[in-house]
Amino acid sequence: RGAVYDVAVDIRHGSPYFGKHVGLVLDALSGKMLWIPPGFAHGYCTLKTDSTIAYKLTNFYSAEYDAGTAWNDLTLGINWPVDPSNAIISDKDRSLPAFGNLPPLFTYTEFIQAMTDI
């Protein structure tokens, strides 16, 4: 139910797409989904007050590995469909670092090696 603007950002150091993002509207009417693989940051903005979000993880949730980057970092160039002064941001998300200060959590070469091992 509802609608969201969903965003994925490549945070794999060494990737030719490092720092690039994709963003699209997902809504209940279309039923579309977005798969976000490991090595990508994920964020969303609800577009309707009555929105329900459901997502799956590739492993059990672990707070130790929960990380991210500032949602409004200008270097990412994300055109969020909300006035920043009206955005409701969690305390956790407010404390996330700028993209340039994000530690190297994933490397592109790990993904290339994993693909060649298949």
Side-chain angles (χ1 to χ4, degrees):
R1 137 180 112 194
V4 300
Y5 182 67
D6 210 356
V7 174
V9 178
D10 187 350
I11 61 170
R12 300 169 300 165
H13 281 261
S15 166
Y17 301 102
F18 181 72
K20 304 284 188 228
H21 75 277
V22 62
L24 67 150
V25 173
L26 301 176
D27 61 36
L29 291 176
S30 73
K32 291 181 181 178
M33 296 183 275
L34 176 63
W35 179 65
I36 302 170
F40 287 74
H42 174 236
Y44 62 88
C45 169
T46 57
L47 301 174
K48 296 186 178 185
T49 57
D50 190 19
S51 296
T52 301
I53 311 300
Y55 57 93
K56 296 181 178 184
L57 304 172
T58 55
N59 208 335
F60 291 104
Y61 173 78
S62 170
E64 177 184 358
Y65 294 106
D66 191 2
T69 188
W71 70 278
N72 57 350
D73 189 314
L74 296 177
T75 62
L76 297 175
I78 300 170
N79 187 21
W80 292 102
V82 64
D83 181 341
S85 65
N86 293 330
I88 300 170
I89 310 297
S90 70
D91 290 339
K92 178 187 136 247
D93 286 354
R94 245 186 256 122
S95 68
L96 292 172
F99 184 71
N101 295 332
L102 190 65
L105 303 169
F106 299 91
T107 61
Y108 185 65
T109 53
E110 291 172 21
F111 288 87
I112 297 301
Q113 183 60 47
M115 294 304 292
T116 59
D117 290 344
I118 294 177

